[in-house]
């Protein structure tokens, strides 16, 4: 059974994280500006992540395709690389799970597109390798991560590091 103290402690941790996140408004504005320009230019947005980060990547695309529709603006062209289960299974079975995002980007990515990686640690090999490829291709790379930002931050044009080591935050 959970106690009032445990709930209070949890909520205080979340509040602290959100308060610290206010120090990152510059990155948030940059991400917004990149996405707005991407929509205006008719370029594509790709998202990726593993586990819970994969769910976030999928939901982010749903929001881009439905929630942010505004009158007199173009619609987003956005794709979650986690949503095509047969493709994920084929690449992971036939080659390696390490290439499931990279190989999909090879089919669709163009210069000026945006690739967004979600990774709590920032060290997921399949995310890092896909961002490395995207950057070489001329895509704009955005990362959402926690902890220290991991390896992926070196391949991101913008990396929003959530000020928490808690993977459940």
């Amino acid at each position: 059974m959970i106690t009032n103290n445990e709930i209070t402690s949890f909520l205080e941790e979340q509040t602290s994280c959100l308060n610290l996140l206010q120090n990152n408004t510059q990155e948030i504005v940059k991400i917004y500006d990149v996405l707005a320009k991407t929509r205006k230019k008719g370029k594509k947005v790709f998202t990726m992540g593993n586990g819970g980060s994969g769910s976030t990547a999928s939901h982010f695309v749903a929001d881009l395709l439905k929630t942010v529709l505004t009158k007199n603006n173009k619609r987003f062209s956005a794709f979650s690389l986690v949503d095509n289960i047969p493709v994920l299974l084929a690449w992971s079975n036939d080659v390696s799970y390490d290439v499931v995002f990279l190989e999909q980007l090879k089919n669709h990515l163009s210069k000026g597109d945006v690739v967004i990686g979600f990774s709590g640690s920032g060290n997921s090999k399949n995310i890092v390798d896909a961002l490395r490829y995207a950057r070489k291709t001329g895509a704009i790379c955005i990362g959402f991560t926690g902890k220290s930002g991991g390896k992926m931050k070196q391949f991101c044009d913008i990396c929003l590091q959530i000020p928490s080591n808690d993977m459940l935050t």
Side-chain angles (χ1 to χ4, degrees), residues 23 37 44 75 77 92 100-101 108 113 124-125 128 155:
N23 297 328
K37 288 175 187 172
K44 298 180 290 293
R75 291 180 175 218
S77 179
S92 62
V100 296
F101 303 131
H108 302 290
D113 288 341
S124 299
K125 183 171 174 30
V128 172
F155 300 105

Side-chain angles (χ1 to χ4, degrees), residues 34-70:
V34 164
L35 290 173
K37 288 175 187 172
T38 300
R39 176 175 59 186
K40 187 175 182 178
K41 292 178 183 177
K43 301 302 279 181
K44 298 180 290 293
V45 176
F46 298 94
T47 65
M48 58 190 165
N50 297 298
S53 295
S55 295
T56 301
S58 183
H59 191 104
F60 193 88
V61 166
D63 285 343
L64 290 177
L65 295 177
K66 171 65 172 79
T67 307
V68 299
L69 294 179
T70 56

Side-chain angles (χ1 to χ4, degrees), residues 16-27:
S16 174
C17 181
L18 287 172
N19 287 334
L20 290 170
L21 193 56
Q22 291 179 15
N23 297 328
N24 299 83
T25 56
Q26 184 177 12
E27 286 86 3

Side-chain angles (χ1 to χ4, degrees), residues 18-151:
L18 287 172
N19 287 334
L20 290 170
L21 193 56
Q22 291 179 15
N23 297 328
N24 299 83
T25 56
Q26 184 177 12
E27 286 86 3
I28 296 168
V29 168
K30 286 180 185 177
I31 292 167
Y32 175 90
D33 288 345
V34 164
L35 290 173
K37 288 175 187 172
T38 300
R39 176 175 59 186
K40 187 175 182 178
K41 292 178 183 177
K43 301 302 279 181
K44 298 180 290 293
V45 176
F46 298 94
T47 65
M48 58 190 165
N50 297 298
S53 295
S55 295
T56 301
S58 183
H59 191 104
F60 193 88
V61 166
D63 285 343
L64 290 177
L65 295 177
K66 171 65 172 79
T67 307
V68 299
L69 294 179
T70 56
K71 196 173 185 175
N72 300 321
N73 275 317
K74 290 183 177 182
R75 291 180 175 218
F76 276 99
S77 179
F79 307 89
S80 169
L81 300 178
V82 305
D83 289 341
N84 192 328
I85 301 302
V87 170
L88 289 173
L89 294 174
W91 280 112
S92 62
N93 181 66
D94 297 347
V95 181
S96 168
Y97 191 73
D98 290 343
V99 302
V100 296
F101 303 131
L102 168 66
E103 292 299 333
Q104 290 182 78
L105 287 176
K106 287 180 179 179
N107 288 5
H108 302 290
L109 190 65
S110 299
K111 184 178 180 179
D113 288 341
V114 173
V115 177
I116 302 174
F118 294 90
S119 174
S121 70
N123 290 317
S124 299
K125 183 171 174 30
N126 56 4
I127 303 281
V128 172
D129 289 349
L131 288 168
R132 181 183 293 120
Y133 171 79
R135 182 171 250 186
K136 287 180 185 175
T137 305
I140 300 164
C141 297
I142 297 173
F144 287 87
T145 186
K147 302 186 178 186
S148 68
K151 295 176 184 174

